[in-house]
């Protein structure tokens, strides 16, 4: 009896999954570039003579006070706009669980273990630094998140790209990161509960679920209901972004017969540009504007809270994800894709140390009572993400030729039928099409060879005549 072949880690994805990941990451890349621009604008704005206008705008309050929603612009960006981001994260998670990399428990074990290790080790690094240095342990969750949009923006700026298997691995890491970031926010950063508002939010979610199951259509039904649920969740004391996650998880992400896209995939396709292109960049604009004077940058590497964040993102993320992946592969006997090597995994693990959006949000929540420390922790998130980006860029550039060759193989479509050839190797019709293409090419080469030979003979004959002609 033959033993089953070992599972491949970072192996080839199915064509539908590859197409979905490529489309999703394309939008996230554009959003990541906008996010990067917004962060740069915020830093410049907050460190010029116009800094007072930045502070005034960020702290400007707007909203109905009678509903408990008289919030500052910065607060609206963190609690309101990020609810859209977490709504998309909820759909991503649901899709991964029912149709993506996480649907098979055996295949999901490795990326889940890698992501959990990539959250646990940075938290432990932070706690160790602050226990030894006598700092506050409240920020242990700050370096646990990965910002995939910012990571993809770094790749775009560097002119680098990743083979589809590595891109899918990075996306899965980010999805699992988002899930546990949501749980951390819900469990550790929930203030005193207003049970009436919480009960109202729960009732709204039940109604949302019933309408979905009854297949009621129309944005004019769901958008007002979503706003009510969000408002009640905000007033309940539970962080309002949890409402977005809950609604995202309720959408159906499995396809029925005759469907090209599930409702969840369709809505994600519509909302993702709003999240990546507007919500997250605006959050960055009003959260990344911190002073980066010499004193603040010096504090980043001397204060235990900020040093813990930097080391957590740069060291904890890289070694946590890589170590968790290596151990999981060893104990599950999963073989690494022969086209890739373990340094590739370490490079992606280093890239995952870019923890921008959710890290900034958790930093605000963890040190809400200390504005000065909040700004210092934000500066540490920016510095840690920058260092991780530079290190990952160097590591990925060392392998850029290999990646380009792999991407070219993945995208080659010699028969021009819209499907990469690598996915048609077991299809007899593909080989018949290729045989026909090669026959046409061979016939053309024979024709050109004949023309060339004929021309050569004529030239040779003329040369002999010239030699024999009398002077």
């Amino acid at each position: 009896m033959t033993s089953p072949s070992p599972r491949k880690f970072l192996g080839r994805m199915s064509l539908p999954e590859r197409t979905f990941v490529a489309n999703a990451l394309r939008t996230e890349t554009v959003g990541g570039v906008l996010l990067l621009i917004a962060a740069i604008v915020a830093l410049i704005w907050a460190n010029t003579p116009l800094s007072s206008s930045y502070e005034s705008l960020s702290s400007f309050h707007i909203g109905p006070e009678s509903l408990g929603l008289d919030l500052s612009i910065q607060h609206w960006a963190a609690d309101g706009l990020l609810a859209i981001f977490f709504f998309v994260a909820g759909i991503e998670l649901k899709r991964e669980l029912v149709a993506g990399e996480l649907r098979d428990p055996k295949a999901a074990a490795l990326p889940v273990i890698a992501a959990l290790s990539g959250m646990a080790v940075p938290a432990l690094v932070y706690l160790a630094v602050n226990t030894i240095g006598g700092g506050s342990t409240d920020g242990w969750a700050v370096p646990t998140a990965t910002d995939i949009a910012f990571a993809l923006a770094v790749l775009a700026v560097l002119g680098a790209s990743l083979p589809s298997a590595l891109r899918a691995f990075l996306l899965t890491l980010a999805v699992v990161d988002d899930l546990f970031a949501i749980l951390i926010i819900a469990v550790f950063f929930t203030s005193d509960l207003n049970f009436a508002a919480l009960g109202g939010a729960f009732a709204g979610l039940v109604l949302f679920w019933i309408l979905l199951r009854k297949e009621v259509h129309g944005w004019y039904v769901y958008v007002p209901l979503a706003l009510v649920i969000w408002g009640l969740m905000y007033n309940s004391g539970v962080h309002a972004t949890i409402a977005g996650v809950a609604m995202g998880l309720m959408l159906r992400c499995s396809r029925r017969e005759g469907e090209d896209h599930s409702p969840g995939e369709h809505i994600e396709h519509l909302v993702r540009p709003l999240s990546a292109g507007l919500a997250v960049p605006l959050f960055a604009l009003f959260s990344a504007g911190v002073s980066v004077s010499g004193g603040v940058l010096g504090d980043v590497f001397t204060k235990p809270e900020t040093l813990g964040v930097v080391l957590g993102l740069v060291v904890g993320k890289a070694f946590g994800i890589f170590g968790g992946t290596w151990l999981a592969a060893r104990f599950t006997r999963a073989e690494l894709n022969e086209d890739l090597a373990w340094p590739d995994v370490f490079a992606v693990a280093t890239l995952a140390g870019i923890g921008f959006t959710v890290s900034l949000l958790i930093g605000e929540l963890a040190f809400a009572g200390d504005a000065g420390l909040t700004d210092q922790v934000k500066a540490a998130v920016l510095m840690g993400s920058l260092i991780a980006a530079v290190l990952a860029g160097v590591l990925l550039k060392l392998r850029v030729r290999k990646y380009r060759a792999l991407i070219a193989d993945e995208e080659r479509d010699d028969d021009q039928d819209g499907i990469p050839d690598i996915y048609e190797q077991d299809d007899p019709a593909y080989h018949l099409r290729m045989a026909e293409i090669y026959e046409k090419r061979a016939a053309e080469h024979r024709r050109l060879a004949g023309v060339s030979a004929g021309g050569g003979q004529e030239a040779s004959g003329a040369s002999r005549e010239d030699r024999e002609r009398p002077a």
Side-chain angles (χ1 to χ4, degrees), residues 81-102:
L81 292 178
L82 279 195
I84 302 173
F85 166 80
F86 278 108
F87 174 70
V88 174
I91 300 176
E92 282 181 342
L93 176 61
K94 179 68 173 290
R95 190 194 169 279
E96 287 291 315
L97 289 170
V98 302
E101 293 291 298
L102 303 180

Side-chain angles (χ1 to χ4, degrees), residues 3 41 56 110 140 151 154 165 234 288 322-323 367 424 439-442 448-449:
S3 59
V41 169
S56 299
L110 203 149
W140 63 270
V154 169
Y234 175 82
F322 179 80
F367 301 106
E424 299 185 289
E439 284 293 335
K440 289 180 179 178
R441 290 178 182 174
L448 292 174

Side-chain angles (χ1 to χ4, degrees), residues 10 84 96 99 128 144 178 181 197 227 235 263 294 307 348 354 365 372 374 385 396 466:
L10 297 179
I84 302 173
E96 287 291 315
T144 60
D178 287 341
L227 291 174
N235 282 286
L307 181 60
V348 172
I354 301 174
L365 296 174
T374 298
S385 297
L396 292 170
D466 288 341

Side-chain angles (χ1 to χ4, degrees), residues 460-471:
S460 176
S463 177
R464 283 195 299 271
E465 289 174 2
D466 288 341
R467 285 196 301 268
E468 293 171 357
R469 184 180 300 151

Side-chain angles (χ1 to χ4, degrees), residues 61-81:
H61 278 62
I62 188 172
E65 188 174 355
S66 59
L67 298 178
L69 297 174
D70 181 23
L71 310 178
S72 68
I73 297 295
Q74 183 178 358
H75 208 160
W76 275 111
D79 286 55
L81 292 178

Side-chain angles (χ1 to χ4, degrees), residues 19 70 75 154 168 214 216 219 244 275 295 325 350 360 395 430-431:
T19 303
D70 181 23
H75 208 160
V154 169
K214 296 292 184 181
V216 175
W219 65 267
S275 169
T325 304
T350 304
L360 289 177
L395 294 173
Y430 161 76
H431 293 287

Side-chain angles (χ1 to χ4, degrees), residues 20 34 44 56 73 91 100 110 121 143 157 241 272 284 298 356 431 465 467:
F20 177 85
L34 294 175
I44 294 173
S56 299
I73 297 295
I91 300 176
L110 203 149
V121 175
V157 170
T241 53
R272 185 186 286 277
F356 188 76
H431 293 287
E465 289 174 2
R467 285 196 301 268

Side-chain angles (χ1 to χ4, degrees), residues 32-245:
V33 173
L34 294 175
L35 173 63
L36 184 59
I37 293 171
I40 293 171
V41 169
L43 285 170
I44 294 173
W45 194 356
N47 288 275
T48 63
L50 298 174
S51 60
S52 59
S53 64
Y54 179 82
E55 291 294 332
S56 299
L57 182 59
S58 297
S59 58
F60 181 76
H61 278 62
I62 188 172
E65 188 174 355
S66 59
L67 298 178
L69 297 174
D70 181 23
L71 310 178
S72 68
I73 297 295
Q74 183 178 358
H75 208 160
W76 275 111
D79 286 55
L81 292 178
L82 279 195
I84 302 173
F85 166 80
F86 278 108
F87 174 70
V88 174
I91 300 176
E92 282 181 342
L93 176 61
K94 179 68 173 290
R95 190 194 169 279
E96 287 291 315
L97 289 170
V98 302
E101 293 291 298
L102 303 180
R103 70 187 183 279
D104 178 5
K106 291 183 179 179
L110 203 149
V112 169
I113 291 171
L116 288 175
S117 300
M119 298 186 79
V121 175
L124 292 173
V125 168
Y126 179 92
L127 289 172
V129 171
N130 281 270
T131 300
I132 295 170
S136 171
T137 57
D138 292 344
W140 63 270
V142 174
T144 60
T146 292
D147 193 318
I148 189 170
F150 213 120
L152 293 171
V154 169
L155 291 176
V157 170
L158 292 173
S161 188
L162 295 175
S164 59
L166 288 176
R167 283 180 285 162
F169 182 56
L170 183 61
L171 177 62
T172 305
L173 286 175
V175 169
V176 178
D177 257 10
D178 287 341
L179 167 63
F180 285 96
I182 291 159
L183 293 175
I184 287 170
I185 291 170
V187 174
F188 295 99
F189 298 106
T190 295
S191 56
D192 296 334
L193 291 177
N194 180 330
F195 288 100
L198 184 61
F202 181 76
L205 288 171
V206 170
L207 177 59
F208 190 89
W209 182 81
I210 291 172
L211 291 173
L212 289 173
R213 292 302 171 271
K214 296 292 184 181
E215 298 188 353
V216 175
H217 299 287
W219 65 267
Y220 46 83
V221 174
Y222 292 101
V223 172
L225 178 58
L227 291 174
V228 170
I229 293 170
W230 176 88
L232 289 168
M233 189 70 76
Y234 175 82
N235 282 286
S236 72
V238 176
H239 200 268
T241 53
I242 304 302
V245 178

